[in-house]
Amino acid sequence: MAHALSLVVALSTRSPQPPSPSSSRSSSRPSKLGGRNLRSNASDAGRRRGPVSPSHKTQKLNSEVSPHRAVSAVRLMRIELGGAFADLLNERGKGPGENEMGYVERTLGFRTRELDDRDLRLVTDVVGGTIRWRRFLDHLIVSLCHDQSTFRHMEPLLLQILRIGMYEIVKLDMPPYAVVDENVRLAKVALRPGAGNMVNGILRKLVQLKESDALPLPKLEGDDHAQARALATLYSHPVWMVRRWTKYFGREEAIKLMVWNNSEPSYSLRANTGKGVTRADLVKHLDMLEVPYELSLNMEDFVRIKTGMQIIIRAGLLKEGTCAVQDESAGLVVSLLDPQPSDCIIDCCAAPGGKTLYMASCLSGQGMISAIDVNRGRLRILQETAKVHQVDGVITTVHADLRDFAGNNPLKANKVLLDAPCSGLGVLSKRADLRWNKNLEDLEELKELQNELLDAASRLVKPGGVLVYSTCSIDPEENEERVTAFLLRHPEFCIDPADKYVPGEFLTERGFYFSNPVKHSLDGAFAARLLRAL
């Protein structure tokens, strides 16, 4: 699964749009913000939709309101109510452009001052953290309101301001009464004095409870379901995820996984060898920019960074195609396919193209990749980025549904990659919003889609060729079980063990590739290399 950040520059010029289900790597169904008054009742936020009905109050600069909190509140509403993707709105180091600041002004009724570097970092931390800890924060709000009805009928903007204040007090350990004062001011100016009074009362009560170590936390008691609900609140995940991970991995590993998902993510940069850039060249750039990094121990073209993305963006390294943001777990999937110069490869669900671009860089200008995807807009982004990376000469994009294409086209290849649409349960540390957009019914639908796509992809593999099936999920039902079912339907394929292509620590007992977020400190990913008989 190619993470959206791998195309950060190309995407930054567009408003985030939800991908269509067939081409999406995560198959979430975000609601659209269109026609909805953001100050209306929040209880039906997931059902009622509509454009922002902006307030036209003063439209003047308000220098007293905390700009990072104002921007964060509007971003959070766009993510929760409008279906915007948190990784696009909240890319590390990428500040709000004119469009977003205009949106803030139209939503709140006033302008804030421009955000400086510190503000940008705070927006990133607050938006990402508030989304991750949403269930826990809402538990605190309900506990302090002493009334479920008050919470259910709370205005969206007021709810986001309360979440921000609680997150800053409980998780960021900011000076508590400064946090109270700033969020009260935002509520009063953006809503009304009474809203500010409510924020003041709830946040001050929270400060008192925190200082006396008496936060109203759920207790781990009762039957398995009750304990799962308590764990889901304490670690801020959906109950169904907690129950599923406890079933497959055990409680201790499930808790470790939730802790990982709630931690600040790190990112990897891939040197663009297709443009002649080596990792040593990339390291020189990072040294000059004074961005701290670690060399990847798994991939020779990759480095890891924890901070400094804003500096890298401003220096133009992504825009110029010197490097790409890509997790090593995705790079290892490409290693499993083993692209070589002169190969002809079919990438079945290519867009937005992180793996496509990496495979193209491995071809050294020789060979061809047919990049198929059902989403024309995302294919266009792939084409534009391929030009920046100087690998467009070996990439041909094909706008089609793979299932139709495979049945009506004679194209076949010795190497075929199916990076299938999946739940994205392996990338929850980066896609903070994804956990709230998934349910068990989604997984059942995805499993059927994955089966159909696997069957279609298999028809594109020449005798003696290779099919790599991959996901960015850690769920066995999307991974090993889909491969097992496929092999029963297609006895002409067999498992080609991954030990020749990826480090041994990523191997499963059956010879599949699997990256464990807790064990490997990477995104979770799975891939199987399958050989077709001659």
Side-chain angles (χ1 to χ4, degrees), residues 417-439:
L417 172 64
L418 173 59
D419 187 31
C422 70
S423 65
L425 295 181
V427 296
L428 296 185
S429 68
K430 290 188 174 75
R431 279 293 307 273
D433 59 322
L434 199 58
R435 70 186 73 177
W436 310 121
N437 297 331
K438 295 294 177 185
N439 55 51

Side-chain angles (χ1 to χ4, degrees), residues 333-360:
V333 171
V334 173
S335 295
L336 188 63
L337 187 70
D338 190 31
Q340 298 294 327
S342 299
D343 277 345
C344 289
I345 301 169
I346 299 176
D347 190 351
C348 293
C349 295
K355 294 183 180 69
T356 315
L357 296 170
Y358 187 21
M359 290 189 293

Side-chain angles (χ1 to χ4, degrees), residues 265-490:
S266 60
Y267 295 92
S268 294
L269 300 176
R270 174 178 61 82
N272 181 15
T273 56
K275 199 173 182 177
V277 179
T278 66
R279 182 166 73 174
D281 297 328
L282 177 57
V283 164
K284 289 180 182 178
H285 284 292
L286 297 178
D287 285 336
M288 290 176 59
L289 296 171
E290 298 183 347
V291 173
Y293 61 87
E294 293 180 0
L295 299 180
S296 168
L297 301 178
N298 310 306
M299 305 288 292
E300 62 181 17
D301 297 330
F302 286 69
V303 298
R304 295 188 192 186
I305 64 169
K306 191 75 174 179
T307 61
M309 185 66 77
Q310 179 181 338
I311 298 171
I312 291 167
I313 293 172
R314 289 182 175 176
L317 298 189
L318 302 179
K319 185 177 182 180
E320 297 165 1
T322 300
C323 61
V325 182
Q326 187 169 40
D327 198 77
E328 293 166 60
S329 63
L332 286 164
V333 171
V334 173
S335 295
L336 188 63
L337 187 70
D338 190 31
Q340 298 294 327
S342 299
D343 277 345
C344 289
I345 301 169
I346 299 176
D347 190 351
C348 293
C349 295
K355 294 183 180 69
T356 315
L357 296 170
Y358 187 21
M359 290 189 293
S361 72
C362 296
L363 298 186
S364 302
Q366 305 172 55
M368 181 57 64
I369 299 175
S370 297
I372 304 171
D373 203 272
V374 73
N375 190 304
R376 192 186 299 275
R378 287 156 68 93
L379 278 177
R380 190 177 302 116
I381 294 173
L382 170 55
Q383 291 173 317
E384 293 172 1
T385 312
K387 291 178 182 178
V388 173
H389 284 223
Q390 296 182 3
V391 293
D392 53 308
V394 297
I395 297 176
T396 299
T397 58
V398 180
H399 176 236
D401 186 307
L402 175 67
R403 294 164 291 185
D404 297 331
F405 180 86
N408 302 315
N409 197 291
L411 180 66
K412 294 186 185 297
N414 286 325
K415 293 180 180 178
V416 176
L417 172 64
L418 173 59
D419 187 31
C422 70
S423 65
L425 295 181
V427 296
L428 296 185
S429 68
K430 290 188 174 75
R431 279 293 307 273
D433 59 322
L434 199 58
R435 70 186 73 177
W436 310 121
N437 297 331
K438 295 294 177 185
N439 55 51
L440 280 173
E441 289 74 21
D442 291 331
L443 261 67
E444 293 303 316
E445 293 179 12
L446 280 167
K447 284 158 55 178
E448 290 302 315
L449 176 61
Q450 290 156 358
N451 287 339
E452 293 173 6
L453 293 175
L454 262 169
D455 291 342
S458 69
R459 295 197 288 270
L460 303 178
V461 183
K462 290 181 178 180
V466 173
L467 169 62
V468 169
Y469 169 75
S470 69
T471 74
C472 62
S473 175
I474 58 173
D475 195 283
E477 293 187 18
E478 295 186 86
N479 297 337
E480 293 92 338
E481 291 189 20
R482 297 282 59 74
V483 175
T484 298
F486 171 79
L487 293 175
L488 290 174
R489 298 193 305 273
H490 295 272

Side-chain angles (χ1 to χ4, degrees), residues 33 42-43 59 110 130 176 217 530:
L33 192 71
S43 63
Q59 301 294 327
F110 56 86
T130 301
L217 303 179
L530 307 171

